[in-house]
Amino acid sequence: MTATDDTTDPELRQLYADFESENLNPLWTQLGDLMPMAPASRAVPFVWKWSTLYPLAQRAGDLVPVGRGGERRAIALANPGLGGVPYVTPTLWAAIQYLGPKETAPEHRHAQNAFRFVVEGEGVWTVVNGDPVAMRRGDFLLTPGWNFHGHHNETDQPMAWIDGLDIPFVHYTDTGFFEFGSDGVTDEGTPDISRSERLWAHPGLRPLVGLDRQTSSPIACYRWEHTDRALTEQLALEDEGHAATPEPGHAAIRYTNPTTGGDVMPTIRAEFHRLRAGAHTRPRRDVGSTVFQVFEGQGRFLLGGTEHLVGKGDMIVVPSWVEWSLSTDEGVDLFAFSDAPIVERLHFNRTHVSEGA
């Protein structure tokens, strides 16, 4: 007999009934689901258009207050393959957050690691453990787990950005904690540069305080001017004949923790990619999931065999082991975040890169 036999044996039927009554489940009836030949995520490749996301966030800003209780006017991206849960992948959460003129989102903290990336706008300060951090276009900002944080908008204009967290991973591992903080923010200052940047954000230089390895990066914000300069120089070096880019016409950087040289947070990797006009990436598959947001320009994402034209603000999810590639006629900049630190720490990481275009 095999596991796929359709049997009418009453003793076998009774065996299965007894399994069920005792909360048992035989492996031989579900091996293909539990141990697939390759990763088969329930999450599906998908593209959310900024032209749809932002107007919906504006409507929420008109109708939904921000404050204690709801805490944040954040609208999560719900992957269509995950049955309606507010997760972009089985391990990652992504949302557009919208803060209206002169509004304040009160402080709280949670075990989940979080970041913010700004595709447009300025005028909001996020306050992380009492340190006010200006948010501007192209900036990548960290809120590591268990850091108190709130946001305040000092302008007469609304502002929106994306949030990324490891909420699904923390939920499935039953490791989450949450605590309310101040009903406002603990420091309403509006400095151009945060205290953490003044101490830590100097290229190749490390202060002699805090010489221990820190789980998450102590840098509160990675500024766009530094990211842009690094990408520009990579492509300039490539033009001069030097090996400075991972692929022809493709510059890329990874945001790092200066105390370890590793990822900025233990569960989230963040990168920025720039493809010059006419460039393309090789098709690839990775164990683990990645979310992209187009920062500038236009490109064509090939996701699992389906092509998507993407532009500024659009968000793209690539589930585990889905083949993807990117090409552009005019040039494109993209922010990316993934669950790679989790996958690599567990030694489940695997990548396949095709030779073809």
Side-chain angles (χ1 to χ4, degrees):
M1 187 188 72
T2 69
T4 57
D5 284 339
D6 181 15
T7 180
T8 58
D9 184 336
E11 291 188 37
L12 188 59
R13 290 205 309 272
Q14 185 59 50
L15 176 64
Y16 288 140
D18 291 343
F19 284 158
E20 185 174 358
S21 68
E22 296 299 328
N23 298 301
L24 300 170
N25 214 319
L27 172 64
W28 59 84
T29 64
Q30 53 187 321
L31 181 61
D33 293 331
L34 293 177
M35 298 182 181
M37 302 298 289
S41 179
R42 290 189 300 116
V44 297
F46 198 77
V47 175
W48 288 265
K49 305 298 288 184
W50 190 250
S51 59
T52 300
L53 290 174
Y54 190 73
L56 287 171
Q58 286 180 307
R59 288 168 58 190
D62 293 336
L63 299 171
V64 180
V66 64
R68 195 93 286 169
E71 296 296 298
R72 303 290 187 259
R73 193 185 292 109
I75 306 161
L77 278 55
N79 191 291
L82 296 180
V85 296
Y87 303 158
V88 69
T89 81
T91 52
L92 298 172
W93 190 88
I96 176 174
Q97 185 171 165
Y98 187 91
L99 199 63
K102 304 298 184 181
E103 279 190 327
T104 295
E107 291 192 349
H108 63 214
R109 64 178 176 177
H110 40 69
Q112 294 86 347
N113 294 289
F115 73 79
R116 317 188 195 287
F117 179 74
V118 184
V119 74
E120 61 184 358
E122 60 180 80
V124 169
W125 273 257
T126 183
V127 182
V128 181
N129 280 348
D131 188 6
V133 189
M135 299 175 62
R136 307 184 188 99
R137 172 170 160 78
D139 291 348
F140 170 60
L141 303 102
L142 298 186
T143 308
W146 215 235
N147 282 232
F148 277 115
H149 56 283
H151 321 303
H152 61 107
N153 186 346
E154 293 301 312
T155 74
D156 295 322
Q157 300 297 320
M159 184 173 167
W161 60 87
I162 68 164
D163 292 337
L165 292 91
D166 52 11
I167 289 175
F169 179 74
V170 171
H171 175 74
Y172 290 135
T173 54
D174 292 329
T175 51
F177 291 88
F178 182 92
E179 184 178 319
F180 293 115
S182 166
D183 286 341
V185 291
T186 50
D187 189 328
E188 295 183 349
T190 57
D192 287 338
I193 301 295
S194 65
R195 292 191 294 273
S196 76
E197 293 169 81
R198 291 167 60 192
L199 183 62
W200 284 97
H202 304 285
L205 305 175
R206 181 173 176 178
L208 293 187
V209 297
L211 283 175
D212 55 317
R213 294 166 61 92
Q214 298 188 30
T215 302
S216 296
S217 173
I219 301 175
C221 183
Y222 295 73
R223 296 293 174 187
W224 169 243
E225 55 262 35
H226 305 307
T227 304
D228 181 43
R229 179 65 181 270
L231 297 164
T232 299
E233 292 297 344
Q234 283 186 26
L235 292 175
L237 286 166
E238 181 185 74
D239 287 339
E240 296 165 16
H242 303 291
T245 56
E247 296 174 290
H250 175 194
I253 60 96
R254 180 174 299 168
Y255 302 94
T256 61
N257 177 348
T259 75
T260 65
D263 289 295
V264 289
M265 292 186 289
T267 54
I268 295 175
R269 173 167 295 168
E271 297 179 341
F272 202 100
H273 297 255
R274 172 173 291 170
L275 271 67
R276 67 164 91 233
H280 60 80
T281 68
R282 289 181 292 172
R284 64 182 292 146
R285 299 175 187 264
D286 298 282
V287 171
S289 48
T290 302
V291 180
F292 293 89
Q293 185 176 38
V294 178
F295 181 67
E296 197 64 80
Q298 285 192 332
R300 292 182 299 277
F301 250 100
L302 192 61
L303 289 170
T306 301
E307 186 173 277
H308 304 267
L309 181 64
V310 295
K312 181 180 176 180
D314 293 352
M315 299 188 68
I316 306 100
V317 59
V318 183
S320 184
W321 211 241
V322 169
E323 185 173 81
W324 68 275
S325 61
L326 175 65
S327 59
T328 179
D329 293 330
E330 65 178 54
V332 65
D333 281 4
L334 305 101
F335 171 78
F337 71 99
S338 74
D339 56 10
I342 300 172
V343 175
E344 292 177 2
R345 183 65 61 88
L346 297 173
H347 300 284
F348 288 147
N349 51 305
R350 185 180 298 196
T351 295
H352 178 265
V353 181
S354 300
E355 293 302 322

